[in-house]
Amino acid sequence: MHSKNKIVSIEEAVRIRKEWKAAGEKVVFTNGCFDIVHLGHVDYLEQARLKGSKMILGLNTDDSVKRLKGEERPINNEYARARLLAAFEFIDMVILFGDDTPLDLISTLLPDVLVKGADYTIDNIVGAKEVMDNDGSVETITLVEGFSTSSIIEKIRQHGL
């Protein structure tokens, strides 16, 4: 499948999610900004996908990244970020969302497994209650140390690259 075909609207996502559920697929959901993709992101996303048979990635729009990370972000626009992430074989679907949290997206899609980094705890993961109330699970993944978009940006600034 061409990577751009993995980027879908919420309406299309709901339809595909129903098909996957009917087929017995175990659907994983995670989300983030993924502004400058690095090893930490790849490791995290690969581990998340191992929690199920299909993976949906909720991707913050440019406006929501700006609200969350500041006026200088994102570095890469939402289409570029979505296409890059959709190109990974372990990501089956990418949905852009403009809210500050993915709660509406999670509540609509009700994944079987909700995944976040281990820098979160289940009690502060958005959507955890909704997923667990629908017999799903919430899991955290240990992050690769030394990798963050913010640290990459800072390194570029310091070295004038």
Coordinates of all heavy atoms in Angstrom, one line a residue, residues 42-105:
V42 N 11.3 5.4 16.5 CA 11.3 4.2 15.8 C 11.2 3.0 16.7 O 10.3 2.1 16.6 CB 12.4 4.0 14.8 CG1 12.4 2.6 14.1 CG2 12.4 5.1 13.7
D43 N 12.0 3.0 17.7 CA 12.0 1.9 18.7 C 10.7 1.9 19.5 O 10.1 0.8 19.6 CB 13.1 2.1 19.8 CG 13.3 1.0 20.7 OD1 13.8 -0.1 20.3 OD2 12.8 1.2 21.9
Y44 N 10.2 3.0 19.9 CA 8.9 3.1 20.6 C 7.7 2.6 19.7 O 6.9 1.7 20.1 CB 8.6 4.5 21.0 CG 7.2 4.8 21.4 CD1 6.8 4.5 22.7 CD2 6.3 5.4 20.6 CE1 5.5 4.7 23.2 CE2 5.0 5.6 21.0 CZ 4.6 5.3 22.3 OH 3.3 5.5 22.7
L45 N 7.7 3.0 18.5 CA 6.6 2.6 17.6 C 6.7 1.1 17.2 O 5.6 0.5 17.1 CB 6.6 3.5 16.3 CG 6.3 5.0 16.5 CD1 6.6 5.8 15.3 CD2 4.8 5.1 16.9
E46 N 7.9 0.6 17.0 CA 8.0 -0.8 16.7 C 7.5 -1.6 17.9 O 6.8 -2.6 17.8 CB 9.5 -1.2 16.5 CG 9.9 -0.9 15.1 CD 11.3 -1.3 14.8 OE1 12.2 -1.2 15.7 OE2 11.6 -1.8 13.7
Q47 N 7.9 -1.2 19.1 CA 7.5 -1.9 20.3 C 6.0 -1.9 20.5 O 5.3 -2.8 20.9 CB 8.2 -1.4 21.6 CG 9.6 -1.8 21.7 CD 10.2 -1.4 23.0 OE1 9.7 -1.9 24.1 NE2 11.1 -0.5 23.0
A48 N 5.4 -0.7 20.2 CA 3.9 -0.5 20.4 C 3.2 -1.5 19.4 O 2.3 -2.2 19.8 CB 3.6 0.9 20.1
R49 N 3.7 -1.6 18.2 CA 3.0 -2.5 17.2 C 3.1 -3.9 17.6 O 2.1 -4.7 17.3 CB 3.7 -2.3 15.9 CG 3.2 -3.2 14.8 CD 1.7 -3.0 14.5 NE 1.3 -3.4 13.2 CZ 1.2 -4.6 12.8 NH1 1.6 -5.6 13.6 NH2 0.8 -4.9 11.6
L50 N 4.1 -4.3 18.4 CA 4.2 -5.7 18.8 C 3.1 -6.1 19.8 O 2.8 -7.2 20.1 CB 5.5 -6.0 19.5 CG 6.7 -5.9 18.5 CD1 8.0 -6.1 19.3 CD2 6.6 -7.0 17.4
K51 N 2.4 -5.1 20.3 CA 1.3 -5.3 21.3 C 0.0 -5.7 20.6 O -1.0 -6.0 21.3 CB 1.0 -4.0 22.1 CG 2.2 -3.4 22.8 CD 2.6 -4.2 24.0 CE 3.8 -3.5 24.7 NZ 4.4 -4.4 25.7
G52 N 0.0 -5.7 19.3 CA -1.3 -6.1 18.6 C -0.9 -6.4 17.1 O 0.2 -6.6 16.7
S53 N -2.0 -6.6 16.3 CA -1.8 -7.0 14.9 C -2.0 -5.8 14.0 O -1.6 -5.9 12.8 CB -2.8 -8.1 14.6 OG -4.1 -7.7 14.8
K54 N -2.6 -4.7 14.4 CA -2.7 -3.5 13.6 C -2.4 -2.3 14.5 O -2.7 -2.3 15.7 CB -4.2 -3.3 13.1 CG -4.6 -4.4 12.1 CD -4.0 -4.2 10.8 CE -4.5 -5.2 9.8 NZ -3.9 -5.1 8.5
M55 N -1.9 -1.2 13.9 CA -1.6 0.0 14.7 C -2.1 1.2 14.1 O -1.8 1.5 12.9 CB -0.1 0.1 15.0 CG 0.2 1.3 16.0 SD 1.7 1.3 16.8 CE 2.8 1.9 15.6
I56 N -2.8 2.0 14.9 CA -3.3 3.3 14.5 C -2.4 4.4 15.2 O -2.2 4.3 16.4 CB -4.7 3.5 14.9 CG1 -5.6 2.5 14.3 CG2 -5.2 5.0 14.6 CD1 -7.1 2.5 14.8
L57 N -1.9 5.4 14.5 CA -1.1 6.4 15.0 C -1.9 7.7 14.9 O -2.3 8.1 13.8 CB 0.2 6.6 14.3 CG 1.0 7.8 14.7 CD1 1.6 7.6 16.1 CD2 2.1 8.1 13.7
G58 N -2.3 8.3 16.1 CA -2.9 9.7 16.1 C -1.8 10.7 16.0 O -0.9 10.7 16.9
L59 N -1.8 11.5 15.0 CA -0.7 12.5 14.8 C -1.2 13.9 15.0 O -2.2 14.3 14.4 CB -0.1 12.4 13.4 CG 1.1 13.2 13.1 CD1 2.3 12.8 13.9 CD2 1.4 13.1 11.6
N60 N -0.6 14.7 15.9 CA -1.0 16.1 16.1 C -0.8 16.9 14.9 O 0.2 16.8 14.2 CB -0.1 16.7 17.2 CG -0.4 16.1 18.6 OD1 0.1 15.0 18.9 ND2 -1.2 16.8 19.4
T61 N -1.8 17.7 14.6 CA -1.8 18.7 13.5 C -0.7 19.8 13.8 O -0.3 19.9 15.0 CB -3.1 19.4 13.3 OG1 -3.5 20.1 14.4 CG2 -4.2 18.4 12.8
D62 N -0.4 20.6 12.8 CA 0.6 21.6 13.1 C 0.1 22.6 14.1 O 0.9 23.0 15.0 CB 0.8 22.4 11.8 CG 1.6 21.6 10.7 OD1 2.1 20.5 11.1 OD2 1.7 22.1 9.6
D63 N -1.2 23.0 14.1 CA -1.7 23.9 15.1 C -1.6 23.3 16.5 O -1.3 24.1 17.4 CB -3.2 24.3 14.8 CG -3.3 25.2 13.6 OD1 -2.3 25.9 13.2 OD2 -4.4 25.3 13.0
S64 N -1.9 22.1 16.7 CA -1.9 21.5 18.0 C -0.4 21.3 18.5 O -0.1 21.5 19.7 CB -2.6 20.2 18.1 OG -2.1 19.1 17.3
V65 N 0.5 21.0 17.6 CA 1.9 21.0 18.0 C 2.4 22.4 18.4 O 3.1 22.5 19.5 CB 2.8 20.5 16.8 CG1 4.3 20.6 17.1 CG2 2.5 19.1 16.4
K66 N 2.0 23.4 17.7 CA 2.4 24.7 18.1 C 1.8 25.1 19.5 O 2.6 25.7 20.3 CB 1.8 25.7 17.1 CG 2.5 27.0 16.9 CD 2.0 27.8 15.7 CE 2.5 27.3 14.3 NZ 3.9 27.3 14.1
R67 N 0.6 24.7 19.8 CA 0.1 25.0 21.1 C 0.8 24.2 22.2 O 1.0 24.7 23.3 CB -1.4 24.6 21.2 CG -2.3 25.6 20.4 CD -3.8 25.4 20.8 NE -4.3 24.0 20.6 CZ -4.7 23.5 19.4 NH1 -4.8 24.3 18.3 NH2 -5.1 22.3 19.3
L68 N 1.2 22.9 21.9 CA 1.8 22.1 22.9 C 3.3 22.4 23.0 O 3.9 22.3 24.1 CB 1.7 20.6 22.5 CG 0.2 20.1 22.5 CD1 0.2 18.7 21.9 CD2 -0.3 20.0 24.0
K69 N 4.0 22.7 21.9 CA 5.5 22.8 21.9 C 6.0 24.2 21.8 O 7.2 24.4 22.0 CB 6.1 21.9 20.8 CG 5.6 20.4 20.9 CD 6.3 19.7 22.0 CE 6.0 18.2 21.9 NZ 6.7 17.4 22.9
G70 N 5.2 25.1 21.3 CA 5.7 26.5 21.2 C 5.6 26.9 19.7 O 5.5 26.1 18.8
E71 N 5.8 28.2 19.5 CA 5.6 28.9 18.2 C 6.6 28.4 17.2 O 6.3 28.5 16.0 CB 5.7 30.4 18.4 CG 4.4 31.0 18.8 CD 3.2 30.8 17.9 OE1 3.4 30.9 16.7 OE2 2.2 30.4 18.5
E72 N 7.8 27.9 17.6 CA 8.8 27.5 16.6 C 8.6 26.1 16.1 O 9.3 25.6 15.3 CB 10.2 27.6 17.2 CG 10.6 29.1 17.5 CD 12.0 29.2 18.0 OE1 12.6 28.2 18.4 OE2 12.5 30.4 18.0
R73 N 7.6 25.4 16.6 CA 7.3 24.0 16.2 C 6.0 24.0 15.5 O 5.2 24.8 15.7 CB 7.3 23.1 17.5 CG 8.6 23.2 18.3 CD 9.7 22.3 17.8 NE 9.3 20.9 17.8 CZ 9.4 20.1 18.9 NH1 9.9 20.6 20.0 NH2 9.1 18.8 18.8
P74 N 5.8 23.0 14.7 CA 6.7 21.9 14.3 C 7.7 22.4 13.3 O 7.6 23.3 12.6 CB 5.7 20.9 13.7 CG 4.7 21.7 13.0 CD 4.5 22.9 14.0
I75 N 8.8 21.6 13.3 CA 9.8 21.8 12.3 C 9.3 21.3 10.9 O 9.5 21.9 9.9 CB 11.1 21.1 12.7 CG1 11.6 21.5 14.0 CG2 12.2 21.2 11.6 CD1 12.0 22.9 14.2
N76 N 8.7 20.1 10.9 CA 8.2 19.5 9.7 C 6.7 19.6 9.8 O 6.0 19.4 10.8 CB 8.6 18.0 9.6 CG 10.1 17.9 9.4 OD1 10.6 18.4 8.4 ND2 10.8 17.2 10.3
N77 N 6.1 20.0 8.6 CA 4.6 20.2 8.6 C 3.9 18.8 8.7 O 4.5 17.7 8.6 CB 4.2 21.0 7.4 CG 4.3 20.2 6.1 OD1 3.9 19.0 6.0 ND2 4.8 20.9 5.1
E78 N 2.6 18.9 9.0 CA 1.8 17.7 9.3 C 1.8 16.7 8.2 O 1.8 15.5 8.4 CB 0.4 18.1 9.7 CG -0.4 18.8 8.7 CD -1.7 19.4 9.3 OE1 -1.6 20.1 10.4 OE2 -2.8 19.3 8.7
Y79 N 1.7 17.2 6.9 CA 1.7 16.3 5.8 C 3.0 15.5 5.7 O 3.0 14.3 5.5 CB 1.4 17.0 4.5 CG 1.3 16.0 3.3 CD1 0.2 15.1 3.2 CD2 2.3 15.9 2.4 CE1 0.1 14.2 2.2 CE2 2.2 15.0 1.3 CZ 1.1 14.1 1.3 OH 1.0 13.2 0.2
A80 N 4.1 16.2 5.9 CA 5.4 15.6 5.8 C 5.6 14.6 6.9 O 6.1 13.4 6.7 CB 6.5 16.6 5.9
R81 N 5.1 14.9 8.1 CA 5.2 14.0 9.3 C 4.3 12.8 9.0 O 4.7 11.6 9.3 CB 4.9 14.7 10.6 CG 5.9 15.8 11.0 CD 5.5 16.5 12.3 NE 4.4 17.4 12.1 CZ 3.3 17.3 12.8 NH1 3.1 16.3 13.7 NH2 2.3 18.1 12.6
A82 N 3.1 13.0 8.6 CA 2.2 11.9 8.3 C 2.7 10.9 7.3 O 2.7 9.7 7.5 CB 0.8 12.4 7.9
R83 N 3.2 11.5 6.2 CA 3.8 10.6 5.1 C 5.0 9.8 5.6 O 5.1 8.6 5.3 CB 4.2 11.4 3.9 CG 3.1 11.8 3.0 CD 2.4 10.6 2.3 NE 3.3 9.9 1.4 CZ 3.6 10.2 0.2 NH1 3.1 11.2 -0.4 NH2 4.4 9.4 -0.5
L84 N 5.9 10.4 6.3 CA 7.0 9.7 6.8 C 6.6 8.6 7.7 O 7.1 7.4 7.6 CB 8.0 10.7 7.6 CG 9.2 10.1 8.2 CD1 10.1 9.5 7.1 CD2 9.9 11.1 9.0
L85 N 5.7 8.8 8.7 CA 5.3 7.8 9.6 C 4.5 6.7 8.9 O 4.6 5.5 9.2 CB 4.5 8.5 10.7 CG 5.4 9.3 11.7 CD1 4.6 10.3 12.4 CD2 6.2 8.4 12.6
A86 N 3.6 7.1 8.0 CA 2.8 6.1 7.2 C 3.7 5.2 6.4 O 3.3 4.1 6.1 CB 1.8 6.8 6.3
A87 N 4.9 5.6 6.1 CA 5.8 4.8 5.3 C 6.4 3.6 6.1 O 6.8 2.6 5.5 CB 7.0 5.6 4.8
F88 N 6.3 3.7 7.4 CA 6.8 2.6 8.3 C 5.8 1.4 8.1 O 4.6 1.6 8.3 CB 6.9 3.0 9.7 CG 8.0 3.9 10.0 CD1 7.8 5.1 10.7 CD2 9.3 3.6 9.7 CE1 8.9 6.0 11.0 CE2 10.4 4.4 10.0 CZ 10.1 5.6 10.6
E89 N 6.3 0.2 7.9 CA 5.5 -1.0 7.7 C 4.7 -1.3 9.0 O 3.7 -1.9 8.9 CB 6.3 -2.2 7.3 CG 7.3 -2.7 8.3 CD 8.1 -3.8 7.8 OE1 8.6 -3.8 6.7 OE2 8.3 -4.8 8.6
F90 N 5.2 -0.9 10.2 CA 4.5 -1.3 11.4 C 3.4 -0.3 11.8 O 2.8 -0.5 12.8 CB 5.5 -1.4 12.6 CG 6.6 -0.4 12.6 CD1 6.3 0.9 13.2 CD2 7.8 -0.6 12.1 CE1 7.3 1.9 13.3 CE2 8.8 0.4 12.2 CZ 8.5 1.6 12.8
I91 N 3.2 0.7 11.0 CA 2.1 1.6 11.2 C 1.1 1.4 10.1 O 1.4 1.4 8.9 CB 2.5 3.1 11.2 CG1 3.5 3.4 12.4 CG2 1.3 4.0 11.2 CD1 4.1 4.7 12.4
D92 N -0.2 1.0 10.5 CA -1.2 0.7 9.5 C -2.1 1.8 9.2 O -2.8 1.8 8.1 CB -2.0 -0.5 10.1 CG -1.2 -1.7 10.3 OD1 -0.8 -2.3 9.4 OD2 -0.9 -2.0 11.5
M93 N -2.2 2.8 10.0 CA -3.1 3.9 9.8 C -2.6 5.2 10.5 O -2.1 5.1 11.7 CB -4.5 3.6 10.3 CG -5.5 4.7 10.1 SD -7.1 4.3 11.0 CE -7.6 2.7 10.4
V94 N -2.7 6.3 9.9 CA -2.3 7.6 10.5 C -3.6 8.5 10.4 O -4.2 8.7 9.4 CB -1.1 8.3 9.8 CG1 -0.9 9.7 10.4 CG2 0.1 7.4 9.9
I95 N -3.9 9.1 11.6 CA -5.0 10.1 11.6 C -4.5 11.3 12.3 O -4.0 11.3 13.4 CB -6.2 9.5 12.5 CG1 -6.6 8.1 12.0 CG2 -7.4 10.5 12.4 CD1 -7.6 7.5 13.0
L96 N -4.7 12.4 11.6 CA -4.4 13.7 12.1 C -5.5 14.2 13.1 O -6.6 14.0 12.8 CB -4.2 14.8 11.0 CG -2.9 14.6 10.1 CD1 -3.1 15.3 8.8 CD2 -1.7 15.0 10.9
F97 N -5.1 14.8 14.2 CA -6.1 15.4 15.1 C -5.6 16.7 15.6 O -4.4 16.9 15.9 CB -6.4 14.4 16.2 CG -5.3 14.2 17.3 CD1 -5.3 14.9 18.5 CD2 -4.3 13.3 17.1 CE1 -4.3 14.8 19.4 CE2 -3.3 13.1 18.0 CZ -3.3 13.9 19.2
G98 N -6.5 17.6 15.8 CA -6.2 19.0 16.1 C -6.4 19.4 17.5 O -6.1 20.5 17.9
D99 N -7.0 18.5 18.3 CA -7.2 18.8 19.7 C -5.9 18.7 20.5 O -5.0 18.1 20.0 CB -8.2 17.8 20.3 CG -9.6 17.8 19.7 OD1 -10.0 18.9 19.2 OD2 -10.3 16.8 19.6
D100 N -5.9 19.2 21.7 CA -4.7 19.2 22.5 C -4.5 17.7 23.0 O -3.3 17.4 23.4 CB -4.8 20.1 23.7 CG -4.7 21.6 23.3 OD1 -4.3 21.8 22.1 OD2 -5.0 22.5 24.1
T101 N -5.5 16.9 23.1 CA -5.4 15.5 23.5 C -6.1 14.7 22.5 O -7.0 15.1 21.8 CB -5.9 15.2 24.9 OG1 -7.4 15.2 24.9 CG2 -5.4 16.3 26.0
P102 N -5.8 13.4 22.5 CA -6.5 12.5 21.5 C -7.7 11.8 22.1 O -8.2 10.8 21.6 CB -5.4 11.4 21.2 CG -4.6 11.3 22.5 CD -4.6 12.7 23.1
L103 N -8.3 12.4 23.2 CA -9.4 11.7 23.9 C -10.6 11.4 23.0 O -11.1 10.3 23.0 CB -9.9 12.6 25.1 CG -11.0 12.0 25.9 CD1 -10.6 10.6 26.5 CD2 -11.4 12.9 27.0
D104 N -11.0 12.4 22.1 CA -12.1 12.1 21.2 C -11.8 11.0 20.2 O -12.6 10.2 20.0 CB -12.5 13.4 20.5 CG -13.2 14.4 21.4 OD1 -13.7 14.0 22.5 OD2 -13.3 15.6 21.0
L105 N -10.6 11.0 19.7 CA -10.1 10.0 18.8 C -10.1 8.6 19.4 O -10.7 7.7 18.9 CB -8.7 10.4 18.3 CG -8.2 9.7 17.0 CD1 -9.1 9.9 15.9 CD2 -6.8 10.4 16.7

